[in-house]
Amino acid sequence: MGFLFPPPMLSWLEAKGCEDIELVSPSAAAAGGRQCVEFDLDMGSAPGSSAVLCLRMRDPAALTLHDRLVLADYLAALRPFLDAPPAKGGRAWVTLPGTTVVEVEHQLRNHLNSLFMNAGVLGLRCEDRTDIEPILDQMESDAVGCLDQMRRLFPPPPP
């Protein structure tokens, strides 16, 4: 269920005693037999896109009325995104941990700074054309490093 809940929300649910999250059809939910806190979820305008989100809790009372309202508001806010057409290439939206974004930003800055510094050195040495090959190699390496970091955030679509 990570596609619906970013890591901080999953941690919050776990702290509240959530042991499992499951999407079931409305008919399966109506049949009962599950010990869970249920939320109706409209996942778009396509037929059959309604579901019931079941949160299996160690203690259902641990999820207060306020908590249930917060979750219901969050799920309602997802509706426009779930109803949106698929992204080009059919890739679904994802959430990323903040640590990954910070790390990638740091590495991109390092590679870009190095790239610009080497471009400056190259500009100074262009007059006599001595020893520019290592500088060009380093610039290429930094550009590839930038591309590798961007791929961590935006992996290429599957074939």
Side-chain angles (χ1 to χ4, degrees), residues 13-100:
L13 285 168
E14 187 177 303
K16 294 285 183 180
C18 183
E19 295 176 333
D20 190 30
I21 303 171
E22 182 183 14
L23 275 180
V24 298
S25 69
S27 59
R34 288 183 171 73
Q35 295 296 323
C36 62
V37 178
E38 296 181 350
F39 292 90
D40 289 329
L41 184 60
D42 185 358
M43 298 182 66
S45 57
S49 59
S50 293
V52 176
L53 181 71
C54 293
L55 304 177
R56 188 166 46 89
M57 308 291 292
R58 279 190 295 279
D59 176 12
L63 206 57
T64 66
L65 177 60
H66 178 264
D67 295 337
R68 291 171 195 242
L69 292 172
V70 166
L71 275 171
D73 286 346
Y74 170 79
L75 293 169
L78 286 179
R79 172 67 167 82
F81 301 103
L82 295 172
D83 198 27
K88 187 176 181 180
R91 294 190 313 182
W93 57 275
V94 296
T95 56
L96 294 171
T99 53
T100 300

